Amino acid sequence: MTRVAFFDTKPYDKVWFDRLCSEYDVEIVYFESKLNEKTSALAAGYEVVCAFVNDSITEAVIETLYAGGTRLLAMRCAGYNNIDFKAAFGKIHVVRVPAYSPYAVAEHAMALLLSSIRHTHHSYVRTREFNFSLNGLVGFDLHGKTIGVVGTGKIGRVFIDICKGFGMRVLAYDPYPDDKLGVTYCSFDQLCKESDIISLHCPLTEETVHIINRDSIAMMKDQVVLINTSRGALVDSQALLEGVRSKKIGAAALDVYEEEGEVFYEDKSTTILDDDVLMLLISMPNVLVTSHQAFLTREALGNIARTTLASIASYIKGDVMEHEICYQCDTCHKVIGQRCF
């Protein structure tokens, strides 16, 4: 039976992995700590390590894991920008979960949008205190508004379908347009200039880091609404704060934040945050922040566990791993009978 070191464990992770691990002949040892340079030694003797989106998998971590016998890193998430692939290549195979539930993330993005423009989160707090005033709660209709969707992959396409159901005009930006979507593709600059609402659904790459910045915000309509459920570093947080303060940005709803690693998923209610920008954003009445929970549905958690365990099983049997990632290319792992190394 293969033993797996499972980092950054939360109770909701264990439910599905415990339920399914016996089907894949896997024994999981759970660690609550994140995987980083201080904790990587805990994985000594484990051939497989399971990590998550906010773990820090640097060159030093890779070297420690490899020296301890780890040969497979199973990421139970879609993103992998937190991994030093150059260090891992030739030593440790890396797999991920590319599509656990596009509906979960897209629906959460719409929930954030609706909450932001109709102020339901403020109404909830008010009525809990028996304040039934409607002052300051005026919103606007989504019907007829223009929404700009950045990234039209699996999640972006589901989100577009939802927006169409609201009767919205959809503009889209993606380096690889999908002509079957029935939306208007345009340049990113045009999308910024014409959209009443902008929602981010693209991966974090060298090209998309801080795609939302001072320059792009300056091009946007006054009182634009910004939604981000993808990756925190797509947005320059300082520029966002300035945009909110200047009232250029009418509302922002974030499920991710570029410096979330040591904050999100943790209870910080009794501590003072070191991140002044995050504290100021949360304090703004027109900024709504959730703690990277867009993925958190029963369906998504089940899919994450099944896909991760299936990849581990394929590795154990020596089969080609469908969801392996290689820093040198993105196709070699798809060739039947061939691994990345």
Side-chain angles (χ1 to χ4, degrees), residues 169-184:
R169 173 190 176 225
V170 180
L171 293 178
Y173 169 73
D174 195 300
Y176 306 99
D178 184 349
D179 296 332
K180 298 178 182 178
L181 276 182
V183 299
T184 302

Side-chain angles (χ1 to χ4, degrees), residues 25-51:
D25 197 30
V26 166
E27 178 190 352
I28 299 177
V29 177
Y30 295 102
F31 298 101
E32 292 186 5
S33 55
K34 289 182 171 63
L35 176 59
N36 53 42
E37 293 180 9
K38 294 180 179 179
T39 62
S40 54
L42 293 171
Y46 293 88
E47 189 173 1
V48 180
V49 166
C50 185

Side-chain angles (χ1 to χ4, degrees), residues 94-138:
V94 182
V95 293
R96 66 174 181 136
V97 182
Y100 34 85
S101 174
Y103 303 100
V105 180
E107 290 168 8
H108 189 74
M110 180 51 72
L112 289 176
L113 174 56
L114 288 169
S115 293
S116 294
I117 67 169
R118 299 307 302 270
H119 312 294
T120 51
H121 54 308
H122 294 309
S123 296
Y124 172 77
V125 173
R126 282 190 187 186
T127 56
R128 294 276 292 182
E129 298 177 350
F130 304 105
N131 177 357
F132 302 101
S133 168
L134 298 182
N135 294 332
L137 300 181
V138 178

Side-chain angles (χ1 to χ4, degrees), residues 260 270 288 298:
E260 70 179 54
T270 60
L288 173 58
R298 291 189 296 269

Side-chain angles (χ1 to χ4, degrees), residues 32-253:
E32 292 186 5
S33 55
K34 289 182 171 63
L35 176 59
N36 53 42
E37 293 180 9
K38 294 180 179 179
T39 62
S40 54
L42 293 171
Y46 293 88
E47 189 173 1
V48 180
V49 166
C50 185
F52 197 44
V53 64
N54 283 331
D55 293 330
S56 179
I57 306 162
T58 62
E59 180 180 3
V61 171
I62 292 292
E63 293 300 330
T64 301
L65 293 179
Y66 184 70
T70 298
R71 297 297 179 266
L72 176 67
L73 176 63
M75 301 299 297
R76 57 185 191 278
C77 53
Y80 48 86
N81 53 282
N82 54 333
I83 304 171
D84 187 331
F85 276 97
K86 187 174 182 179
F89 184 74
K91 295 179 179 178
I92 298 177
H93 297 274
V94 182
V95 293
R96 66 174 181 136
V97 182
Y100 34 85
S101 174
Y103 303 100
V105 180
E107 290 168 8
H108 189 74
M110 180 51 72
L112 289 176
L113 174 56
L114 288 169
S115 293
S116 294
I117 67 169
R118 299 307 302 270
H119 312 294
T120 51
H121 54 308
H122 294 309
S123 296
Y124 172 77
V125 173
R126 282 190 187 186
T127 56
R128 294 276 292 182
E129 298 177 350
F130 304 105
N131 177 357
F132 302 101
S133 168
L134 298 182
N135 294 332
L137 300 181
V138 178
F140 63 83
D141 294 352
L142 288 179
H143 183 85
K145 298 299 188 295
T146 298
I147 186 160
V149 179
V150 181
T152 56
K154 292 182 176 68
I155 297 170
R157 290 196 295 269
V158 173
F159 185 73
I160 285 169
D161 287 341
I162 295 172
C163 292
K164 287 180 177 179
F166 278 84
M168 304 179 76
R169 173 190 176 225
V170 180
L171 293 178
Y173 169 73
D174 195 300
Y176 306 99
D178 184 349
D179 296 332
K180 298 178 182 178
L181 276 182
V183 299
T184 302
Y185 278 93
C186 63
S187 68
F188 179 69
D189 288 358
Q190 183 182 347
L191 182 145
C192 289
K193 293 174 182 177
E194 295 189 20
S195 299
D196 301 299
I197 302 154
I198 296 174
S199 189
L200 304 178
H201 299 281
C202 57
L204 180 62
T205 65
E206 291 182 1
E207 292 74 26
T208 61
V209 170
H210 286 182
I211 192 172
I212 303 298
N213 52 48
R214 289 181 179 87
D215 293 337
S216 57
I217 290 172
M219 289 188 288
M220 296 176 189
K221 287 184 175 183
D222 291 343
Q223 295 295 292
V224 66
V225 178
L226 179 66
I227 312 294
N228 186 12
T229 54
S230 292
R231 287 290 176 267
L234 296 174
V235 179
D236 181 334
S237 302
Q238 185 63 48
L240 173 64
L241 179 60
E242 293 169 7
V244 173
R245 277 177 158 169
S246 68
K247 300 181 175 59
K248 177 71 173 181
I249 295 175

